[in-house]
Amino acid sequence: MDSSPALRTRWLASPWGRGAAAALAGAVPALTFPAPSWWWLAYVALVPWLLLVRSAPTFGRAALDGWLGGAGFMLAVHHWLLPNLHVFILVLALLLGALWAPWGLLVRALLGGAPRAGRCAAALVLVPSGWLMVELVRSWEYLGGPWGLLGASQWQVPAALRLASIGGVWLVSLLIVAVNTAVAELVAASAARPPAVAGLLVCALATTAVWFWAPVPRPAGTVRIAVVQPGLTGTPTQRLARSEELTRSIAGRGVRLVVWGESSLYQDPTDRPALAARLAALSRRTGTDLLVNADAPRIGGPGIYKSAELIGPDGLTGERYDKMRLVPFGEYIPLRSVLGWATKVGRAATTDRIRGSHQVVMPVASAGGLRIGPLVCFETAFPDMSRHLARDGAQVLVAQSSTSTFQGSWAPQQHASLGALRAAETWRPMVHATLTGVSAVYGPRGERIGERLGTNRSAAAVYDLPLAEGTSPYARFGDWAVHGAVGALALSGAYVGVRALSRRPARARR
């Protein structure tokens, strides 16, 4: 006699066993992101977690299953931070995982017990909407930002990128969770099969309609851009020398802009005339402007900035962008007076960086006035920043990044993949240049252009970047998918409230 079902039942009946199952189920979606990049798994990855939450004996247990699953998800998606934050990453995972507790309540309310067809149909809308609210809240930069949004796992799927051009990464997340909810209904409830099948058909038809009839960007020529990736070169002086050597190697190839990675300079050329003259001479030799990045204190300033600066043949052009959204603990410590102890248990920032005040669109003289929108590292995770640059007239999005601390982890590949989504959302090509890899370039539809420079490369790569005209629906209409999710949740809450009030007089009469 096979006793495995009985063993599973006893294991899930144990609070510790059920908690471990929830954390493991929550961690499964992390496999959809690079490096594994099992994008296809995203459409069923939430099913074990959904089934576990719906089977919770009480609403309190459902909230706990949601919390522990969220903690497992956050820990799995950010596991590469463990060498930096040590035990503090567990604290962060538990704090952020609590955002999924209300989602657990929602799943239990809609799918728990033996739900009828109406409740199952509502779940196909409300469960994805609840998930999106969690993604929205945790995307706040002070809570860690939008790293690991479920929709971002589809960065290499053309149909998903087309959806992103309509409603951003948020719309892709909604679709993925809706499919997972429908599959969970098919597995768990016989009454749910008609609405679940209908929901799957709606998702398939909507994706097909977008693929065939959604607008696409209009081609507008090309521009030749080079990315310089010096690799693990040792000291800042050695890095600068290697970057100059690689930049000189592309002279005479018709390049209109050379992009260096984040923190390519540890002195600010604004305050170092000799360094500015050295870079200007390099610009004259190659016949192109240089977009460099300084991680340095500013003379007379309040502290250290991370700044994208444009250098031309005559020196500094005056075009400068200071990074606005900083990495919590990596570039500053929130509430340092309270949480400053994090520097003693991991490699947290010993000195806080200073935030910039506004985004900038830079004209590049050597590229005929081409307008570029710079982003620095972590900022490529924020859909609103690239959308605002596109609306402000940027023709190319340029990201300068450095993930050298996380070489050998999933972080470099996952970070580079975000460029595909930002390009597809805005219809603007994206250049993702790093110090040590992965560097990559994407066209206006999110398609990859040319070779990716991996973490084992020290090289300069030249790309013929396709430009595009037009405004994507997402750039034009913004986060309408998020607003729709909020509206759906608000309407359902109002409906439940009205029903509760209408029943109260009836109970009072009895």
Side-chain angles (χ1 to χ4, degrees):
M1 179 178 176
D2 184 7
S3 62
S4 58
L7 287 174
R8 287 196 296 269
T9 300
R10 287 198 298 272
W11 187 59
L12 290 178
S14 162
W16 290 103
R18 190 179 183 91
L24 288 172
V28 170
L31 297 173
T32 65
F33 297 97
S37 216
W38 297 348
W39 62 266
W40 45 267
L41 182 63
Y43 297 93
V44 293
L46 296 178
V47 172
W49 191 4
L50 287 165
L51 294 177
L52 183 70
V53 174
R54 75 169 291 275
S55 70
T58 66
F59 280 100
R61 184 69 232 193
L64 184 58
D65 289 344
W67 182 355
L68 295 176
F73 176 70
M74 296 305 294
L75 186 60
V77 169
H78 296 88
H79 72 276
W80 41 272
L81 285 171
L82 187 59
N84 291 73
L85 298 183
H86 297 291
V87 70
F88 199 72
I89 192 175
L90 298 175
V91 177
L92 291 175
L94 287 170
L95 289 173
L96 293 174
L99 295 172
W100 275 271
W103 183 75
L105 293 173
L106 182 66
V107 171
R108 175 65 169 75
L110 292 168
L111 298 179
R116 295 183 178 180
R119 225 178 349 136
C120 292
L124 293 173
V125 175
L126 299 179
V127 170
S129 297
W131 179 278
L132 203 63
M133 293 304 98
V134 178
E135 289 201 336
L136 182 66
V137 172
R138 75 177 183 86
S139 294
W140 189 36
E141 60 178 300
Y142 299 104
L143 290 180
W147 187 273
L149 299 182
L150 199 56
S153 66
Q154 306 302 292
W155 66 278
Q156 56 187 323
V157 182
L161 292 173
R162 188 72 66 84
L163 282 169
S165 74
I166 301 296
V169 67
W170 314 110
L171 181 60
V172 184
S173 286
L174 276 175
L175 178 78
I176 292 172
V177 183
V179 171
N180 275 272
T181 305
V183 173
E185 290 179 347
L186 288 174
V187 172
S190 57
R193 285 171 187 164
V197 171
L200 290 173
L201 287 174
V202 168
C203 290
L205 289 173
T207 303
T208 302
V210 168
W211 177 256
F212 282 104
W213 292 300
V216 295
R218 301 186 300 273
T222 61
V223 62
R224 183 163 288 186
I225 291 179
V227 169
V228 167
Q229 181 176 297
L232 294 171
T233 54
T235 67
T237 300
Q238 292 170 325
R239 178 188 305 159
L240 175 58
R242 178 60 176 160
S243 297
E244 289 177 311
E245 177 186 359
L246 292 170
T247 302
R248 286 192 293 268
S249 72
I250 57 94
R253 298 181 61 180
V255 172
R256 298 306 177 203
L257 176 67
V258 176
V259 183
W260 291 10
E262 179 190 21
S263 304
S264 46
L265 303 175
Y266 273 87
Q267 293 181 326
D268 192 331
T270 303
D271 300 324
R272 299 287 190 274
L275 176 60
R278 180 175 173 179
L279 294 171
L282 183 62
S283 173
R284 288 193 297 273
R285 179 165 180 174
T286 56
T288 178
D289 287 3
L290 313 176
L291 186 68
V292 300
N293 190 281
D295 182 6
R298 198 169 296 169
I299 293 178
I304 298 175
Y305 290 84
K306 286 197 172 183
S307 305
E309 301 187 54
L310 196 62
I311 309 288
D314 298 323
L316 292 163
T317 64
E319 300 293 341
R320 180 191 195 108
Y321 167 66
D322 297 326
K323 185 176 184 181
M324 296 172 60
R325 295 184 181 171
L326 305 175
V327 181
F329 297 96
E331 294 172 332
Y332 77 103
I333 295 181
L335 302 173
R336 183 177 285 272
S337 59
V338 177
L339 301 176
W341 57 268
T343 59
K344 299 178 181 178
V345 298
R347 288 177 284 182
T350 56
T351 303
D352 290 346
R353 268 46 178 184
I354 307 299
R355 298 176 186 276
S357 59
H358 61 281
Q359 291 187 265
V360 174
V361 174
M362 301 178 178
V364 181
S366 62
L370 178 78
R371 295 170 63 81
I372 63 171
L375 298 163
V376 182
C377 198
F378 179 57
E379 294 178 331
T380 64
F382 292 87
D384 65 302
M385 295 195 74
S386 52
R387 179 164 59 88
H388 289 158
L389 286 171
R391 289 175 63 91
D392 288 344
Q395 296 168 275
V396 177
L397 303 176
V398 180
Q400 297 174 297
S401 177
S402 172
T403 51
S404 56
T405 305
F406 308 109
Q407 297 293 95
S409 75
W410 294 3
Q413 293 187 55
Q414 190 172 345
H415 196 185
S417 72
L418 295 174
L421 281 159
R422 303 292 88 87
E425 287 171 340
T426 60
W427 289 358
R428 296 296 179 263
M430 177 87 166
V431 177
H432 181 84
T434 72
L435 290 182
T436 58
V438 174
S439 296
V441 172
Y442 302 94
R445 298 191 190 188
E447 73 279 18
R448 198 174 80 189
I449 304 296
E451 64 172 334
R452 285 159 61 98
L453 298 180
T455 54
N456 60 342
R457 298 285 302 278
S458 174
V462 176
Y463 302 90
D464 288 318
L465 197 63
L467 302 176
E469 293 179 341
T471 303
S472 72
Y474 177 64
R476 184 181 301 277
F477 300 112
D479 297 327
W480 63 266
V482 174
H483 301 150
V486 172
L489 291 170
L491 286 174
S492 67
Y495 172 75
V496 171
V498 169
R499 285 194 64 186
L501 290 173
S502 64
R503 288 176 179 176
R504 185 175 297 174
R507 286 197 299 268
R509 285 193 299 270
R510 287 198 297 268

